[in-house]
């Protein structure tokens, strides 16, 4: 990996500046957008189960208030520091703007290794952190809404909700203070697979663009495309799964212990079962082994989806990448050096900032569900089914033909919560892809899709600031 002379936040600022020259906004507005509006550093003590007292370092950053609430995950990691949380909060502002989620960017972090604490201690840390946020008005359905991130999940979100509710008795919208909750606590169906499904919808839209496929020398559509995925976790597994369902060939899969390749396609669920049984992805029947996991990135394929870690493609291996399209499932899998090399090679890099926005998009749907206090589909599902049944009966009577059972079932079906969530996500990803591509098409000097995505975000945030004016 190539070392970079810039901090993470400075790299985000550099990408912003690279895109800002393709906009017409006043320098003052651009500066206001770039800065983090509020940075809150907290230190608080916890008493561990063995009686020792430890001081915990933690952060919450609200990057932009052009729309409220602010939104962004909370990570538990020893690598947490103020610069990282600021950078991630800024990226959330731009990500939300691109996918038209009406939130400002936020992010939180607690500097701990969660594996070193018992569940009881983690609960105490999470609850105390939430209490610190409450004290300074850094959490609430209308102010700032955290979500899971690295090292946290639905369990921690339920503790946050409970702490917030305990300190705001009777607040009717309290469930909207955090997203990524268990479904039984106001979470939404479809959140688990949302990021991988969003990656699929975004890339499918790109593959349906005639001009883009012609430039890359690839046929239209995702069916038959050869896909290679790094990381079989939440994002990687679900991305691969939806490509598989759409008729693509999953030719390569990589985990930290190695990688496997089969040009005729791998059976994804059989690979997952094999890994569960043997503890390794390697030695899957019919596949070629690669002991060095990183080699998977250089395999022959049409679409490469790095969905594990950051900085996996750098100046050293970028020249050897054969994929024509790279879909960034992970956050920051390419270094700036790799970006430049791949742009020169004509590889299309579909950027993380919007491609992995499925999670925050569905979090927005969860927040809307919490404010409306009703499950999606509850009011209209039966009504739709009754209406469809009536229409089908009329059609059969008029045509004198009976529909096949599976057709009848498909047409009859009224939307469940997961159907509506997926439909909303599909619409969001298609619209965002088209908006970014249009910006790129209209300005041939924009060097890559990432810069076009930043231009898209800057224009939306700046329009908000310009329309709202400056208080007082
Ligand atoms: P995860 O922990 O579920 O999965 C990561 C997978 O990568 C694991 O299976 C791990 O074993 C594997 N891995 C680790 N090192 C590897 C290596 N060297 N080579 C190959 N595989 C390796 O995490 P996730 O939630 O899928 O997140 C993955 C990436 O996507 C992260 O960058 C995350 O920030 C980003 N992301 C996740 C979401 C989400 O909703 N989960 C949303 C946006 C972005």
């Amino acid at each position: 990996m190539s070392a970079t002379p810039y901090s993470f936040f400075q790299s985000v600022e550099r990408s912003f500046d690279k895109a800002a020259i393709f906009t017409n906004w006043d320098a003052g507005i651009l500066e206001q957008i770039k800065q983090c509006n509020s940075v809150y550093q907290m230190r608080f003590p916890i008493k561990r189960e063995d009686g020792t007292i430890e001081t915990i370092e933690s952060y919450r950053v609200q990057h932009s208030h052009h729309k409220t609430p602010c939104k962004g995950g909370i990570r538990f990691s020893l690598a947490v520091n103020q610069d990282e949380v600021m950078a991630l909060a800024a990226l959330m502002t731009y990500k939300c703007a691109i996918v038209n989620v009406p939130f400002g960017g936020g992010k939180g972090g607690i500097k701990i290794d969660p594996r070193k604490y018992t569940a009881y201690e983690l609960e105490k840390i999470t609850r105390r952190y939430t209490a610190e946020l409450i004290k300074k008005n850094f959490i609430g359905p209308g102010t700032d809404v955290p979500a899971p991130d690295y090292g946290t999940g639905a369990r921690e979100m339920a503790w946050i909700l409970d702490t917030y509710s305990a300190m705001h008795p009777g607040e009717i919208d309290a469930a909207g203070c955090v997203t990524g909750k268990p479904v039984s606590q106001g979470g939404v169906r479809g959140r688990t697979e949302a990021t991988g499904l969003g990656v699929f919808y975004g890339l499918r839209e790109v593959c349906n663009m005639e001009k883009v496929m012609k430039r890359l020398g690839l046929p239209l559509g995702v069916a038959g495309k050869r896909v290679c995925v790094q990381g079989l976790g939440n994002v990687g597994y679900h991305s691969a799964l939806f490509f598989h369902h759409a008729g693509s060939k999953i030719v390569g899969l990589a985990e930290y212990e190695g990688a496997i390749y089969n040009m005729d396609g791998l059976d994804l669920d059989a690979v997952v079962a094999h890994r569960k049984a043997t503890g390794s992805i390697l030695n899957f029947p019919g596949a070629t082994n690669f002991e060095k996991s990183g080699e998977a990135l250089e395999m022959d394929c049409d679409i490469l989806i790095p969905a594990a870690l950051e900085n996996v493609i750098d100046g050293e291996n970028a020249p050897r990448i054969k994929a024509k399209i790279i879909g960034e499932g992970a956050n920051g899998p390419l270094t700036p050096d790799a970006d430049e090399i791949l742009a020169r090679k004509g590889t299309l890099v579909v950027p993380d900032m919007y491609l992995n926005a499925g999670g925050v998009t569905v979090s927005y749907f969860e927040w809307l569900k919490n404010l409306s206090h009703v499950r999606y589909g509850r009011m209209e599902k039966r009504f739709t089914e009754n209406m469809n049944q009536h229409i089908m009966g009329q059609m059969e009577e008029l045509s004198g033909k009976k529909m096949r059972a599976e057709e009848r079932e498909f047409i009859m079906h009224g939307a469940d919560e997961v159907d509506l969530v997926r439909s909303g996500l599909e619409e969001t990803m298609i619209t965002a892809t088209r908006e970014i591509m249009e910006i790129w098409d209209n300005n041939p000097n924009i060097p890559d899709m990432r810069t076009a995505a930043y231009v898209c975000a800057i224009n939306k945030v700046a329009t908000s600031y310009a329309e709202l004016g400056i208080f007082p």
Side-chain angles (χ1 to χ4, degrees), residues 75 95 149 191 195 230-236 254-256 275 293 307-310 329-331 356 359:
R75 58 172 58 180
K95 185 177 285 198
D149 195 72
R191 175 68 179 84
T195 305
Q230 183 194 41
L232 268 183
N234 180 293
V235 180
E255 258 296 332
Y256 61 83
R275 185 165 188 247
S293 173
L309 308 164
E310 58 279 353
N331 278 316
N356 67 26

Side-chain angles (χ1 to χ4, degrees), residues 208-221:
N208 284 338
M209 292 176 167
E210 215 169 325
K211 217 166 112 185
V212 179
M213 288 304 103
K214 211 167 159 188
R215 199 174 70 223
L216 295 172
L218 291 171
L220 262 189

